[in-house]
């Protein structure tokens, strides 16, 4: 599983700083037995749609903290 987070200035201040922490905490709390690679990238030129996050090749836009948790619950396998 690869998670890519846009860390360009717009996405960062719109919530991806918090989303990164949510991802890290989610993985730690759920003790997932899947390899997860978390990668930060600079601007993806979708600033108006941010914060932007990519989960296993699929980009999601306007990912607030509640949406981030919901995406993780839907996409990441349980233990």
């Amino acid at each position: 599983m690869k998670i890519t987070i846009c860390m360009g200035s717009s996405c960062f201040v719109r919530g991806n700083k918090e989303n990164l922490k949510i991802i890290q905490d989610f993985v730690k709390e759920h003790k997932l037995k899947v390899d997860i690679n978390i990668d930060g990238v600079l601007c993806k030129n979708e600033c108006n749609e941010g914060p932007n996050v990519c989960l296993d090749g699929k980009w999601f836009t306007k990912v607030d903290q509640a949406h981030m948790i919901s995406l993780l619950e839907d996409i990441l396998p349980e233990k």
Side-chain angles (χ1 to χ4, degrees):
M1 164 65 73
K2 182 174 181 179
I3 300 174
T4 305
I5 304 171
C6 181
M7 295 305 256
S9 58
S10 180
C11 284
F12 187 80
V13 299
R14 287 182 176 187
N16 269 353
K17 177 181 178 182
E18 291 81 11
N19 282 338
L20 175 59
K21 176 131 178 56
I22 288 170
I23 293 166
Q24 292 169 329
D25 290 347
F26 186 92
V27 170
K28 186 177 181 179
E29 289 171 12
H30 289 84
K31 297 180 175 110
L32 301 175
K33 294 180 182 178
V34 61
D35 288 330
I36 298 173
N37 180 22
I38 302 171
D39 189 27
V41 296
L42 292 179
C43 188
K44 298 299 289 175
N45 296 319
E46 297 290 335
C47 302
N48 291 332
E49 299 297 319
N52 302 304
V53 176
C54 182
L55 300 172
D56 236 8
K58 183 174 180 185
W59 280 95
F60 297 89
T61 61
K62 299 179 182 173
V63 181
D64 62 17
Q65 287 74 36
H67 189 200
M68 185 76 257
I69 292 169
S70 176
L71 287 172
L72 292 171
E73 290 172 343
D74 290 344
I75 293 174
L76 290 175
E78 286 296 319
K79 301 180 181 183

